[in-house]
């Protein structure tokens, strides 16, 4: 644009116009409306929310401590009742948590006691079944010993001593022979192969044992095969 007059006056007027345009233009304003400070992690409040005595700041610190304590409890951190009271957390919350933890501990202890009893019982049953298995495997050997003794082959000598030691060793494991005669017939421990009428017999009675039976404790390993005398 052509101009007339002094060059300095023209430059001065041009600068004033530019400054006026810059003054009229509004610069963009960025406001951070986030409620939590990303740097400190503290909650933000309006500038006018604090009183002259700083009561709002105290309430903010107390709320922050309470939230921190609640987060620690949720994370499984044990917070003493004294510390909770000092930080403004009701003592009842810590007491309830302590009672719940105590109940969990008692329940866990009861489960452990029951588990230990069950393991001990299973171990005892397993040991008993192992002994019974060994005794059952030796019953044919004992039958051969009885047959040899009835034929007079074990009246004397080293084999007679070995047979006696074997029978005594098995007795220590609870093996009991069922070979009594003249007793009342018991179907739980006797197996009747033959029945014969007997004189002066009022109940069924074992008159002869054909093959000895055995039991271990209350468990019958094998019933005795017998001849039963019945009332005439």
């Amino acid at each position: 644009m052509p101009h007339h007059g002094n060059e300095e006056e023209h430059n001065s007027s041009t600068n004033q116009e530019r400054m006026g345009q810059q003054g009229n233009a509004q610069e963009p304003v960025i406001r951070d409306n986030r409620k939590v400070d990303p740097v400190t992690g503290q909650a933000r409040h309006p500038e006018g929310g604090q009183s002259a005595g700083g009561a709002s700041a105290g309430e903010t610190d107390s709320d922050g401590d309470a939230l921190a304590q609640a987060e620690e409890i949720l994370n499984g951190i044990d917070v003493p009742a004294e510390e909770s009271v000092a930080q403004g957390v009701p003592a009842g919350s810590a007491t309830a948590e302590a009672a719940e933890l105590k109940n969990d501990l008692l329940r866990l202890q009861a489960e452990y006691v029951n588990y230990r009893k069950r393991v001990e019982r299973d171990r005892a049953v397993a040991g008993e079944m192992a002994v019974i298995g060994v005794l059952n495997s030796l019953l044919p050997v004992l039958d051969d010993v009885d047959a040899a003794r009835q034929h007079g082959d074990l009246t004397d000598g080293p084999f007679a001593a070995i047979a006696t030691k074997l029978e005594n060793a098995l007795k220590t494991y609870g093996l009991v022979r069922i070979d009594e005669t003249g007793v009342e017939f018991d179907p739980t421990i006797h197996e009747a192969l033959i029945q014969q009428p007997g004189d002066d017999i009022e109940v069924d009675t074992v008159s002869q044992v054909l093959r000895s039976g055995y039991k271990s404790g209350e468990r019958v390993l094998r019933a005795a095969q017998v001849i039963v005398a019945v009332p005439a």
Side-chain angles (χ1 to χ4, degrees):
M1 178 178 177
H3 60 276
H4 301 279
N6 190 357
E7 184 69 21
E8 293 180 356
E9 294 179 356
H10 176 73
N11 293 335
S12 176
S13 61
T14 303
N15 292 334
Q16 291 177 357
E17 290 177 358
R18 291 178 180 177
M19 292 176 64
Q21 292 178 358
Q22 293 179 356
N24 294 332
Q26 296 182 355
E27 296 181 357
V29 178
I30 300 176
R31 294 185 177 86
D32 189 355
N33 294 327
R34 288 178 292 184
K35 296 182 179 181
V36 178
D37 193 341
V39 178
T40 63
Q42 299 293 333
R44 291 178 174 176
H45 297 276
E47 295 180 356
Q50 298 182 357
S51 61
S56 298
E59 294 177 358
T60 301
D61 295 339
S62 178
D63 293 340
D65 293 339
L67 292 175
Q69 294 294 336
E71 183 177 3
E72 289 179 353
I73 293 175
L74 292 177
N75 291 334
I77 300 177
D78 189 9
V79 180
E82 294 80 1
E83 184 178 353
S84 298
V85 174
Q87 298 296 341
V89 180
S93 61
T95 304
E97 183 190 8
E100 184 178 357
L101 292 176
K102 182 178 180 180
N103 293 333
D104 293 341
L105 179 60
L106 293 177
R107 188 181 303 108
L108 181 61
Q109 183 179 9
E111 292 178 356
Y112 172 73
V113 171
N114 294 332
Y115 168 76
R116 185 177 62 183
K117 290 181 179 179
R118 184 169 60 254
V119 169
E120 292 177 354
R121 183 174 61 252
D122 294 343
R123 185 183 294 115
V125 172
E128 182 181 356
M129 295 304 298
V131 172
I132 290 175
V134 174
L135 296 178
N136 282 327
S137 64
L138 293 176
L139 293 184
V141 178
L142 297 178
D143 292 339
D144 295 339
V145 171
D146 289 341
R149 185 177 286 113
Q150 290 176 2
H151 287 84
D153 297 336
L154 293 178
T155 56
D156 195 5
F159 290 104
I162 293 174
T164 302
K165 289 182 180 180
L166 175 61
E167 293 173 344
N168 292 333
L170 295 178
K171 288 180 181 179
T172 60
Y173 290 95
L175 184 65
V176 178
R177 185 190 296 269
I178 305 174
D179 59 352
E180 294 181 315
T181 59
V183 297
E184 184 178 354
F185 175 78
D186 187 355
T188 60
I189 60 175
H190 297 139
E191 179 183 358
L193 298 182
I194 301 174
Q195 290 185 351
Q196 296 176 345
D199 297 335
D200 300 331
I201 298 297
E202 296 180 357
V203 295
D204 296 346
T205 305
V206 176
S207 61
Q208 185 178 353
V209 177
L210 301 178
R211 189 182 69 172
S212 298
Y214 295 93
K215 66 179 181 179
S216 176
E218 299 298 329
R219 183 187 295 271
V220 178
L221 304 181
R222 188 180 70 186
Q225 296 178 350
V226 300
I227 298 176
V228 181
V230 297

